[in-house]
Each structure stands twice: as structure tokens, then as C-alpha cells.
Amino acid sequence: MKLPVLTIIVPCYNEEEILPKTMDELTAVLLELMELKLVSNNSNMLFVDDGSKDHTWNLIQVESMQNHLVRGIKLAGNVGHQNALLAGLEAAQRQSDCVISIDADLQDDVSVIRTMVEKYNDGYDIVYGVRDKRQTDTFFKRNTALAFYRVMGTLGIQLIPNHADYRLMSKRALKELLKYKERNLFLRGMIPLIGFSQTKVFYERKERERGISKYPLKKMLSFAFDGITSFSVAPIRFVTYLGFITLLVSILAGGYALLQKWLGNTQSGWTSIMISLWIIGGLQLIGIGVVGEYIGKIFKEVKRRPIYAIDVDHYSENLEDEEADEAAWKRKGTS
């Protein structure tokens, strides 16, 4: 039985403090999998530098020269976590039979990788790493995350609760994912749409040892809103319903005003007029803003600009060298 080639993809942005430990722990896991004959000896780790401002890329380069399991891609600029992850997935699709994506901060338990590979060998195409507890989160983050999953479920968006981007994908699942051509990436919502056989493995998320989180509150809210507007038209529909409700209330209020006029009970009401104007004006601005979000996404999609540019690609270079060596051995064997 041919052993699968596994590529562990690690997007990195300003991770110089934790990256050496990340490389050591992932190397130990990969060597163990090779020793147990769960993956091929051609398996590797691919670190994608998302335009870091520190020494992240230098660490990747040095380690790749000392550790044959480590390879790297340097993006020309910072394009965001999801785009950097996609760059790694696209690079790995040629060589790998399966890929695992994991963040560089070591908060996801790397020991679960073995279980993921075992699930893959059992026939699963997608294996989600799911947190079984959220005790390391603050009270605010824990409850806002739960509210987010409830809202997404109400809107009909398929998400795996308490799952981020720690997952295994088979070659055919990855091939299907790369057929999705949208520029507004929300991989957590896209991957469940692929189908195929899927399962979960549970783990306890650790606290960040070094460095700072790359997802502050502002970025988390933006990410959540991008997910909603990328997969559902419910917000725009809600604005439409709100418009009809406002119209109904206006008709009732107008009828009431006419009735009072006919009864001779009318009097000047500056306060009520101003409140009405502010409410209607606010609703209009909200409606324009929601519509604008969708138009903005359409604007980005139709331009079809590349979502990332690669500055240095050691991964493909190594792959081409390996293919050349393999071809040479084949020629030697047939001569």
C-alpha cells in the first residue's frame, strides 16, 4: 500500500517569537508519522510568510536549509490569513495526497495530527479539528463566538461550531475547493459545501505562549461580517422587510394624524417630527450600507485581480528538483 504524502501548511505573520518552537514540534510529529508508516517519507511542512515585518522569513529560510522537512513561500505583501492559507493549499496540491492546515501559534494541539491522518486512512476526505472547550477564551470572546455560530446557523450557513482552520483535506477535496473562484474568501463556510465524507476530531485549545493574537476584536467582527455577506443575502432581505414594516407604521401613523385632524385635536409636534426624521434617515443609511457591502463584494469579484503574489517560492523549486531527480532515476533504470 502506497503511503500518502502529507503537507502541513502553516500561514505565518510576524511569528518570529513562536516559530522555532512550532517548527520543532511539527517536525517531531511528522517524523513520528513517518516512523509509524502512516505517511510517506516525502511528506513535508510548508510555511507561508504573509508579508511579515519581523524575521519570520529569515527563520523559515534558515530552517529549510537545516531541516529537509521544512519548505517555505514568501508572499510579496500582507494579503490576510485566508489568502495566505489558500496560497499554501494551491502550492501543495500537485505533490500532496492530503494537506493539514494549522496556525503558527501552537494553540491548536499538534498531537491531534496523528488522529487526523488515521481518519484519512480510514477513508475520510475532510477531518475538522474542533475545540471541545473554550475555557482559554475570555467571557466576551466565548459568548460572542457562540452567538456568531447561532446567527450563521439561523441564516442557513453551514459551519462547524468551534472549528477554525485546523483541518485535514484529501487531494480530491482540495481539488474541489480550488474550483471555487471567489475573491472574498471564507474557507470555514466554503469547505463544508464540498461534501464528500467528513468527520471531526476534538482537542483542547491551548493558550498562546508567545507573541500577540493576529485577530483583535475589530478584525474578528470584520471577518464575521464577511462570512455572513459572502454566504447569505439575509441582511439585504432583512432591510427589505424593515422597509415594509416602516412603510406600514408610516401608513398607520398617517391615518392616525388624519383622524386627529378631522376630530380637531391636532397641534404642532416638533418632537415627533424630528424623531420620525431621524428614525427614517437612520434606516435609510443602514439599508444603503448593507447594499453597499454586497456591491463592494461584486466590485472585487468582477475585477478578478490575483489575491496574492509570490515573492520567493522554495516549495515549487524543491518539487521541481525532486521531479527531475525521479525522472533521472527512471531513465537510468531503463538504459
Side-chain angles (χ1 to χ4, degrees):
M1 176 183 172
K2 180 184 175 183
L3 297 177
V5 176
L6 168 67
T7 297
I8 301 175
I9 300 170
V10 189
C12 307
Y13 179 66
N14 294 344
E15 298 288 0
E16 64 176 1
E17 294 183 46
I18 192 66
L19 200 55
K21 186 175 181 181
T22 302
M23 291 174 172
D24 289 344
E25 291 201 11
L26 289 177
T27 297
V29 169
L30 206 50
L31 289 174
E32 181 187 15
L33 293 175
M34 292 175 182
E35 186 178 346
L36 294 171
K37 302 297 182 183
L38 292 174
V39 299
S40 166
N41 290 337
N42 293 325
S43 300
N44 56 82
M45 294 170 281
L46 173 58
F47 292 84
V48 183
D49 178 24
D50 184 21
S52 297
K53 301 296 190 295
D54 60 5
H55 296 95
T56 295
W57 178 244
N58 292 335
L59 291 172
I60 295 172
Q61 282 187 305
V62 171
E63 187 67 19
S64 66
M65 290 185 286
Q66 301 172 351
N67 185 345
H68 72 283
L69 299 176
V70 172
R71 298 173 184 177
I73 291 177
K74 185 180 189 301
L75 302 184
N78 178 242
V79 296
H81 179 273
Q82 297 288 280
N83 293 331
L85 176 54
L86 185 67
L89 293 172
E90 289 185 330
Q93 65 170 320
R94 285 177 57 195
Q95 181 190 17
S96 309
D97 296 308
C98 57
V99 297
I100 290 178
S101 57
I102 185 172
D103 290 340
D105 56 19
L106 286 181
Q107 289 188 269
D108 296 322
D109 187 0
V110 298
S111 65
V112 177
I113 290 176
R114 175 178 172 177
T115 308
M116 288 182 169
V117 174
E118 290 173 344
K119 294 290 185 182
Y120 167 78
N121 288 331
D122 288 340
Y124 289 99
D125 287 287
I126 302 173
V127 184
Y128 299 103
V130 179
R131 299 171 61 176
D132 56 0
K133 299 177 182 177
R134 300 193 71 102
Q135 301 304 318
T136 57
D137 289 347
T138 63
F139 175 83
F140 175 79
K141 186 174 182 180
R142 182 165 58 250
N143 285 276
T144 52
L146 292 174
F148 170 69
Y149 288 118
R150 289 195 191 100
V151 169
M152 296 294 271
T154 302
L155 298 177
I157 302 170
Q158 299 180 46
L159 286 185
I160 307 299
N162 296 321
H163 163 72
D165 289 296
Y166 188 23
R167 68 179 75 87
L168 177 146
M169 298 180 67
S170 68
K171 189 180 188 72
R172 70 169 185 160
L174 178 57
K175 183 179 179 181
E176 292 302 316
L177 173 65
L178 296 180
K179 291 180 181 179
Y180 291 72
K181 299 302 181 183
E182 57 250 54
R183 272 29 182 184
N184 301 286
L185 291 179
F186 187 66
L187 294 175
R188 300 180 199 184
M190 294 166 63
I191 291 173
L193 296 176
I194 295 173
F196 297 139
S197 54
Q198 306 181 5
T199 190
K200 305 173 187 175
V201 295
F202 295 90
Y203 67 97
E204 186 172 343
R205 188 171 171 85
K206 305 174 184 177
E207 293 185 7
R208 173 182 276 270
E209 294 185 21
R210 303 169 194 168
I212 59 173
S213 173
K214 306 306 183 296
Y215 267 89
L217 178 60
K218 181 180 178 181
K219 188 174 285 189
M220 286 175 59
L221 291 174
S222 176
F223 184 66
F225 196 66
D226 280 342
I228 292 172
T229 53
S230 294
F231 281 84
S232 175
V233 295
I236 239 176
R237 193 166 294 159
F238 173 75
V239 171
T240 303
Y241 293 153
L242 193 60
F244 279 115
I245 292 171
T246 305
L247 176 61
L248 178 61
V249 171
S250 300
I251 292 172
L252 294 175
Y256 175 78
L258 286 174
L259 180 62
Q260 293 300 310
K261 182 178 180 180
W262 292 334
L263 296 175
N265 297 328
T266 57
Q267 58 183 357
S268 58
W270 181 86
T271 303
S272 60
I273 293 175
M274 292 304 297
I275 291 175
S276 300
L277 288 174
W278 279 106
I279 291 175
I280 294 173
L283 292 174
Q284 287 176 332
L285 289 175
I286 291 172
I288 292 171
V290 172
V291 173
E293 283 290 330
Y294 284 92
I295 293 174
K297 280 183 165 49
I298 295 170
F299 178 67
K300 289 180 181 179
E301 294 290 343
V302 298
K303 286 190 294 186
R304 309 298 292 173
R305 288 178 179 173
I307 59 177
Y308 62 84
I310 295 177
D311 186 8
V312 183
D313 185 357
H314 291 327
Y315 186 82
S316 296
E317 292 171 3
N318 291 341
L319 179 57
E320 290 171 1
D321 291 342
E322 289 176 1
E323 289 176 343
D325 291 342
E326 184 178 353
W329 277 105
K330 287 181 179 179
R331 288 196 297 271
K332 184 177 179 180
T334 56
S335 60

